[in-house]
């Protein structure tokens, strides 16, 4: 199998390294907006660098992995679909609903594969939580608390292109909340704070956000995020039911300290970022994509799953801006629940 990797920045480099070690992948063609960066990575991996995206399609590949800036995702997904190629794409498909819907329509019209990069679905902790919920171990689930806290803020130039805290960061929590519980979110109430560095206000974004989410079975969930968590990178999910309570993301590297006399000590080496915390999950999602392309398994996260997460993020943005609850039925692009 020959795979084209479009984008060789941080996550593109991780994915290229993972694919180059996969025994079912014969070779890679790498390209980037910075040709030198692609060439250097190709040299290190013993793979081929292409001068541009056109060559990825002209030289012939069996699948495409897209890890470019978000603004290019939808166009590249459409181009791959028209070429009959399976695609793995980092989230999101696009920063707006029309772009997302158009890309999904192209994939469905072509009958090709689009797998989205929501890596938490491949994390051992979240997988265990899903199994606990689905097995009935927790009993009736009544409360879920999800959080994502970055240790340091992104660069100001990137922040303006990110889509904002809800679309860029909390979208992972929205997706995995649906996946773990097996229920859809029906309404949201969100708020945000831009009291941190001025670059957030200049970008029209917030550095900290929170949302109260109601699931279709009445379960209540909260999702919070911040770009300013100096203790370290912290991603957790707590699930409380009538019979038991569990937590994802609590280990000896969780950047949290107890004030109780007999509580656990602070982590000696707290998680510093998402690439470190979710390293095994990133590898697993790419291994799954190869299996999907080879016809050995079903697509674990298609474009419509990404659409649902984006619709929740859009609802949160409206709620934050207008200071009111927002029902998901207000957001265009409604699709039939994957869990029905």
């Amino acid at each position: 199998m020959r795979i084209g990797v479009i984008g060789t920045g941080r996550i593109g480099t991780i994915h290229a390294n993972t694919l180059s070690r996969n025994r079912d992948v014969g070779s890679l063609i790498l390209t980037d907006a910075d040709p030198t960066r692609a060439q250097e990575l190709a040299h290190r991996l013993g793979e081929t660098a292409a001068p541009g995206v056109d060559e990825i399609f002209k030289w012939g590949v069996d699948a495409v992995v897209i890890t470019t800036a978000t603004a290019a995702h939808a166009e590249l997904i459409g181009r791959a679909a028209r070429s009959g190629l399976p695609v793995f794409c980092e989230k999101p498909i696009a920063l707006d609903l029309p772009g997302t819907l158009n890309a999904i329509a192209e994939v469905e019209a072509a009958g090709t594969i689009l797998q989205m990069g929501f890596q938490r679905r491949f994390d051992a902790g979240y997988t265990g939580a899903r199994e606990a919920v689905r097995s009935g171990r927790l009993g009736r689930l009544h409360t879920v608390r999800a959080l994502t806290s970055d240790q340091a803020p992104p660069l100001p130039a990137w922040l303006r292109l990110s889509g904002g805290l809800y679309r860029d960061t909390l979208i992972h929590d929205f997706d995995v909340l649906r996946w773990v519980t097996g229920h859809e979110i029906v309404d949201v109430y969100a708020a945000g704070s831009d009291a941190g560095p001025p670059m957030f206000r200049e970008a029209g974004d917030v550095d900290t956000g929170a949302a109260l989410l109601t699931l279709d079975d009445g379960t209540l969930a909260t999702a919070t995020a911040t770009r300013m968590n100096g203790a370290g990178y912290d991603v957790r999910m707590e699930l409380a039911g009538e019979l038991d309570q569990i937590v994802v993301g609590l280990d000896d590297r969780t950047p949290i300290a107890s004030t109780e006399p007999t509580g656990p000590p602070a982590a000696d080496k707290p998680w510093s970022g998402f690439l470190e915390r979710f390293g095994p999950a990133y590898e697993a999602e790419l291994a799954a994509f190869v299996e999907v392309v080879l016809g050995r398994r079903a697509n674990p996260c298609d474009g419509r799953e990404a659409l649902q997460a984006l619709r929740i993020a859009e609802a949160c943005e409206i709620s934050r801006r207008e200071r009111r609850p927002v029902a998901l039925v207000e957001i265009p692009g409604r699709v039939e629940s994957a869990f029905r």
Side-chain angles (χ1 to χ4, degrees):
M1 181 190 303
R2 194 182 203 189
I3 296 180
V5 179
I6 306 175
T8 55
R10 282 192 308 171
I11 195 64
T13 296
I14 295 290
H15 287 343
N17 274 277
T18 297
L19 292 167
S20 70
R21 297 192 301 268
N22 190 303
R23 64 184 180 182
D24 289 315
V25 178
S27 62
L28 303 177
I29 302 176
L30 312 177
T31 192
D32 192 89
D34 179 354
T36 300
R37 185 164 65 179
Q39 289 167 3
E40 290 174 350
L41 179 59
H43 179 72
R44 291 200 302 270
L45 297 178
E47 303 289 357
T48 301
V53 172
D54 288 346
E55 284 74 17
I56 293 285
F57 295 96
K58 289 178 181 177
W59 292 357
V61 294
D62 300 299
V64 173
V65 170
I66 300 171
T67 59
T68 61
T70 297
H73 287 185
E75 179 184 351
L76 290 171
I77 289 170
R79 185 168 183 179
R82 294 189 296 274
S83 298
L85 294 173
V87 174
F88 175 93
C89 185
E90 278 301 321
K91 65 82 192 168
I93 294 174
L95 291 178
D96 61 6
L97 288 168
T100 299
L101 291 166
N102 288 340
I104 291 173
E106 290 220 60
V107 171
E108 294 182 347
T112 53
I113 294 166
L114 170 60
Q115 180 182 327
M116 295 304 300
F118 281 104
Q119 85 284 353
R120 294 188 194 183
R121 293 181 178 223
F122 297 87
D123 177 73
Y126 285 104
T127 300
R130 175 183 165 95
E131 292 170 354
V133 171
R134 303 304 178 86
S135 71
R137 170 185 160 187
L138 306 184
R140 182 186 69 84
L141 189 66
H142 53 73
T143 308
V144 183
R145 308 174 191 92
L147 68 88
T148 296
S149 299
D150 291 330
Q151 184 175 25
L155 296 173
W158 182 88
L159 188 65
R160 290 190 292 270
L161 304 174
S162 72
L165 189 68
Y166 292 100
R167 297 186 191 93
D168 177 60
T169 300
L170 277 165
I171 196 167
H172 281 288
D173 297 276
F174 301 150
D175 174 72
V176 84
L177 176 60
R178 296 177 60 247
W179 186 74
V180 167
T181 65
H183 288 281
E184 295 291 353
I185 293 166
V186 295
D187 60 53
V188 308
Y189 188 87
S193 170
D194 62 3
M199 66 179 184
F200 292 98
R201 292 185 291 279
E202 292 165 1
D205 196 9
V206 294
D207 59 79
T208 303
L212 173 63
L213 314 151
T214 305
L215 277 60
D216 59 16
D217 67 340
T219 300
L220 295 178
T222 58
T224 63
T226 184
R227 305 281 199 186
M228 310 292 296
N229 196 58
Y233 181 72
D234 191 7
V235 172
R236 279 177 282 137
M237 173 181 276
E238 299 173 3
L239 299 106
E242 292 182 341
L243 300 180
D244 202 356
Q245 181 171 232
I246 57 175
V247 59
V248 178
L250 182 61
D251 59 21
D252 60 359
R253 298 191 65 182
T254 303
I256 191 168
S258 174
T259 60
E260 299 298 333
T262 59
D268 289 332
K269 188 181 178 183
W271 297 110
S272 61
F274 61 91
L275 293 177
E276 182 185 33
R277 164 66 177 84
F278 289 110
Y282 281 117
E283 292 196 13
E285 69 177 358
L286 264 294
F289 177 61
V290 172
E291 295 283 307
V292 171
V293 173
L294 292 172
R296 296 174 183 168
R297 64 172 293 176
N299 189 344
C301 187
D302 64 20
R304 290 189 173 269
E305 296 287 280
L307 170 62
Q308 290 292 73
L310 179 61
R311 292 180 68 241
I312 298 164
E314 290 287 326
C316 286
E317 281 290 357
I318 294 171
S319 177
R320 177 182 73 87
R321 187 170 61 248
E322 300 182 3
R323 296 179 177 269
R324 67 176 179 88
V326 176
L328 264 291
V329 293
E330 297 181 46
I331 309 302
R334 184 180 181 184
V335 297
E336 195 65 30
S337 172
F339 309 114
R340 296 303 184 195

